[in-house]
Amino acid sequence: MANHQSAIKRIRQIQKRRLHNRYYAKTARNAVRKLRTTTEKAVAVELLPKVSSMLDKLAKRNIIHKNKAANLKSKLTLHVNKLA
């Protein structure tokens, strides 16, 4: 266990930040899942910018890697364009 005041505070900060990051990452994953299961073009076109924005924010804050965000956005765009 940590002995110094600064180490104890750092543990509290890391735990709080971890929960915050997990929440936003999970929310984005659920949004991606929802977009992938969508079969209606109009709904998918409406969801795509919102999901892309979520992924960009996660990448900007280093919660996910920027290339992972780019790959997800690319695959989702292809999925939306294939819908009829």
Side-chain angles (χ1 to χ4, degrees):
M1 187 61 199
N3 292 325
H4 296 288
Q5 189 68 32
S6 60
I8 293 169
K9 181 178 179 182
R10 179 58 68 187
I11 289 169
R12 282 198 318 263
Q13 289 174 327
I14 290 169
Q15 188 176 19
K16 184 177 179 184
R17 193 173 302 124
R18 181 177 155 270
L19 289 173
H20 181 267
N21 289 343
R22 277 182 61 197
Y23 170 77
Y24 284 103
K26 184 69 175 176
T27 304
R29 272 201 308 274
N30 287 338
V32 167
R33 208 171 285 133
K34 183 178 179 184
L35 181 57
R36 278 197 181 125
T37 58
T38 303
T39 55
E40 295 179 33
K41 176 103 174 171
V43 176
V45 168
E46 186 180 317
L47 276 176
L48 184 63
K50 295 175 184 173
V51 174
S52 294
S53 175
M54 287 173 135
L55 293 171
D56 285 335
K57 286 176 188 172
L58 291 177
K60 183 175 83 174
R61 297 182 179 130
N62 289 323
I63 297 171
I64 62 171
H65 196 272
K66 63 177 184 171
N67 291 351
K68 181 176 178 66
N71 287 334
L72 284 170
K73 285 168 40 180
S74 173
K75 288 175 184 176
L76 290 172
T77 305
L78 286 172
H79 170 70
V80 170
N81 289 338
K82 282 181 185 176
L83 294 174

